[in-house]
């Protein structure tokens, strides 16, 4: 006699990851209180020029006036003038030669811009050697606008390695623009893991580095993913509540990279 079969599928609950990881302690933090950045911790680009080799090098200028600290947050604003064609004035902040780290859990709380076409905000890290040595970049997050809005409600997390000869990319979707989010990176000798509001993306184990990196904030315009800012609505502002760096205590091993789909309980308001 044929019998009906009942198939029961058991789905494992996602792993719950403690942040900061157990045994990690606070090594650096800035809550952006006061009316200006601490010059012992941060430098502000004011060269009047865009990075060499960028498509917008003739019309984009990094200026200190695009950086502000007020009401407990760091505010980065990209603006456009009325020239034809227009020029853009953008902020960039770096801790290079002041605060650098190798490995750790790095976190910020950010209010994204509205996804303006041609704009992109980012919190990232860089190992820089002016003498032609190896340069390395860890993009904790980038948030782009764009004409076709393929990056709408999405963050991109990237490691550019060996002088940008290659990169590996992870994405977080369902990210609300013009809203506050907590974004974190766990960086260990094993590789990199990123989360947005406690939702962990797939870890990246390609090309882990042990080079020291500085912290950087920027609100740029243009480039391949951002699109043409001349069609966008400016000004565009991203806002940061804090940045924190946690490191393993003495004798504490590096935390394992969380698997994709892991969650962390976020206690702060997002």
């Amino acid at each position: 006699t044929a019998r009906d079969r009942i198939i029961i599928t058991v789905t494992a609950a996602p792993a719950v990851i403690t942040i900061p990881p157990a045994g990690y302690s606070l090594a650096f933090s800035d809550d952006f209180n006061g009316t200006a950045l601490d010059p012992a911790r941060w430098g502000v680009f004011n060269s009047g020029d865009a990075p060499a080799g960028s498509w917008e090098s003739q019309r984009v200028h990094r200026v200190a006036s695009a950086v502000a600290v007020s009401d407990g947050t760091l505010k980065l604003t990209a603006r456009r003038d009325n020239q034809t064609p227009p020029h853009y004035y953008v902020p960039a902040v770096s801790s290079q030669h002041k605060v650098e780290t190798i490995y750790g859990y790095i976190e910020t709380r950010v209010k994204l811009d509205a996804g303006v076409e041609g704009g992109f905000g980012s919190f990232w890290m860089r190992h820089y050697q002016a003498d032609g040595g190896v340069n390395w970049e860890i993009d904790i997050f980038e948030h782009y606008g764009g004409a076709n809005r393929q990056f709408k409600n999405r963050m991109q997390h990237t490691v550019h390695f060996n002088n940008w000869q290659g990169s590996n990319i992870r994405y977080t979707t369902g990210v609300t623009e013009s809203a506050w989010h907590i974004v974190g990176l766990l960086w260990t000798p094993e590789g990199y893991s990123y989360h947005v509001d406690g939702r962990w993306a797939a870890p990246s184990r390609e090309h882990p580095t042990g080079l020291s990196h500085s912290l950087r904030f920027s609100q740029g315009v243009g480039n391949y993913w951002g699109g043409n800012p001349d069609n966008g609505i400016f000004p565009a502002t991203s806002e940061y509540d804090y940045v924190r760096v946690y490191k393993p205590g003495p004798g504490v091993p590096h935390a394992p990279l969380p698997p994709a789909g892991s969650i962390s309980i976020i206690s702060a308001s997002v």
Side-chain angles (χ1 to χ4, degrees):
T1 304
R3 297 181 178 179
D4 293 333
R5 291 188 302 164
I6 300 175
I7 300 175
I8 300 176
T9 301
V10 178
T11 302
V16 178
I17 308 300
T18 301
I19 50 174
Y24 280 50
S25 58
L26 188 64
F28 171 79
S29 68
D30 197 329
D31 292 327
F32 302 120
N33 295 318
T35 58
L37 289 172
D38 182 350
R41 298 178 168 196
W42 306 102
V44 176
F45 287 84
N46 197 34
S47 62
D49 297 312
S54 62
W55 73 264
E56 72 274 20
S57 59
Q58 301 303 311
R59 294 202 286 135
V60 176
H61 313 277
R62 289 177 168 176
V63 294
S65 60
V67 178
V69 177
S70 64
D71 302 318
T73 65
L74 168 65
K75 298 172 178 66
L76 305 181
T77 301
R79 293 182 171 85
R80 179 173 60 203
D81 67 15
N82 295 320
Q83 296 185 62
T84 304
H87 284 226
Y88 295 84
Y89 304 87
V90 302
V93 174
S94 170
S95 70
Q96 185 172 322
H97 304 313
K98 300 173 185 287
V99 177
E100 302 199 359
T101 187
I102 303 174
Y103 306 132
Y105 171 69
I106 300 95
E107 181 182 283
T108 192
R109 183 170 180 255
V110 57
K111 184 179 182 181
L112 299 174
D113 66 75
V116 60
E117 182 173 341
F120 64 96
S122 57
F123 172 46
W124 52 296
M125 305 176 71
R126 185 176 180 185
H127 176 82
Y128 174 71
Q129 291 185 335
D131 60 1
V134 174
N135 290 286
W136 214 279
E137 180 178 321
I138 305 171
D139 297 326
I140 299 175
F141 85 82
E142 294 173 303
H143 171 249
Y144 291 97
N148 57 13
R149 301 298 282 119
Q150 72 271 36
F151 286 94
K152 182 176 177 62
N153 301 123
R154 184 166 81 172
M155 284 184 178
Q156 177 171 298
H157 320 282
T158 310
V159 175
H160 301 281
F161 51 87
N162 293 341
N163 294 316
W164 296 277
Q165 293 180 19
S167 60
N168 55 72
I169 302 174
R170 299 292 185 268
Y171 298 104
T172 298
T173 59
V175 178
T176 304
E177 295 168 340
S178 300
W180 286 99
H181 299 281
I182 291 178
V183 186
L185 162 71
L186 178 60
W187 170 26
T188 77
E190 183 185 0
Y192 320 86
S193 277
Y194 313 87
H195 82 82
V196 179
D197 298 334
R199 297 176 295 128
W200 291 86
S204 171
R205 293 181 171 85
E206 301 100 336
H207 305 281
T209 179
L211 298 171
S212 63
H213 282 57
S214 60
L215 304 169
R216 299 187 176 221
F217 298 92
S218 57
Q219 181 71 28
V221 300
N223 85 18
Y224 175 78
W225 288 283
N228 186 350
D230 294 350
N231 299 323
I233 299 173
F234 286 82
T237 300
S238 57
E239 196 169 347
Y240 293 86
D241 184 23
Y242 63 78
V243 59
R244 296 172 184 154
V245 178
Y246 298 85
K247 305 290 287 289
V252 175
H254 293 280
L257 298 181
S262 301
I263 61 173
S264 292
I265 306 302
I266 301 293
S267 59
S269 175
V270 296

